[in-house]
Amino acid sequence: MSELQVLIVDDSSVMRKIVERSLRQAGLDPLTVIEASSGVEGIEALKSERVQLILSDINMPSMDGLEFLRQIRVQNLAPGVPVVMITTESSEEHVKQAILSGAQGYIRKPFTAEQVKERVLPLLAAQGV
């Protein structure tokens, strides 16, 4: 597998590291991770970096994950790149909004590496990554 470049957007640095570790445990290595602590930082990162996968929290200050998702579509950043939302929300409404906004999947916190693998690997395979 060639090196995978992933953008992880979450306001918690601890959660970004947990997501990265889960991706590695799922077998996605070699892996380059670009971290962003908000949707605003995520947008800026996508203006200069090419990624094959985006994982974003929904609840963040400045720009939440749903607005981040809308902005990457409106600005045509990372076209065709799968986006997986990470949420503590148990509300189906948030999940529906994420999917309608263009997310290809979601993972609920707390999660395991196996759950990450189940959600992410099929999306990457569909992209030919």
Side-chain angles (χ1 to χ4, degrees):
M1 173 186 269
S2 62
E3 188 157 351
L4 185 67
Q5 188 142 308
V6 178
L7 173 63
I8 300 174
V9 185
D10 196 303
D11 55 315
S12 164
S13 61
V14 171
M15 187 52 66
R16 292 192 303 268
K17 293 298 180 201
I18 290 170
V19 172
E20 177 180 353
R21 187 177 64 232
S22 295
L23 290 170
R24 291 185 192 284
Q25 289 173 343
L28 298 175
D29 224 355
L31 180 68
T32 298
V33 173
I34 300 159
E35 295 186 29
S37 63
S38 69
V40 174
E41 280 185 24
I43 294 292
E44 289 307 308
L46 289 173
K47 289 179 179 176
S48 61
E49 301 285 348
R50 288 180 47 102
V51 299
Q52 290 82 42
L53 176 65
I54 299 169
L55 293 106
S56 175
D57 189 15
I58 288 181
N59 293 317
M60 296 180 289
S62 303
M63 179 187 291
D64 71 13
L66 296 174
E67 183 59 26
F68 167 70
L69 190 54
R70 283 190 279 276
Q71 287 300 315
I72 62 175
R73 299 302 181 225
V74 167
Q75 296 181 40
N76 200 29
L77 299 168
V81 173
V83 179
V84 177
M85 304 307 285
I86 300 172
T87 181
T88 55
E89 297 296 329
S90 56
S91 162
E92 289 301 314
E93 192 54 40
H94 277 93
V95 172
K96 283 184 202 166
Q97 286 179 0
I99 300 300
L100 289 172
S101 297
Q104 281 73 35
Y106 67 94
I107 299 169
R108 282 208 174 95
K109 296 176 192 175
F111 53 83
T112 65
E114 192 59 36
Q115 290 168 314
V116 172
K117 184 176 183 177
E118 288 171 8
R119 294 275 202 264
V120 169
L121 292 187
L123 295 173
L124 293 172
Q127 298 290 316
V129 176

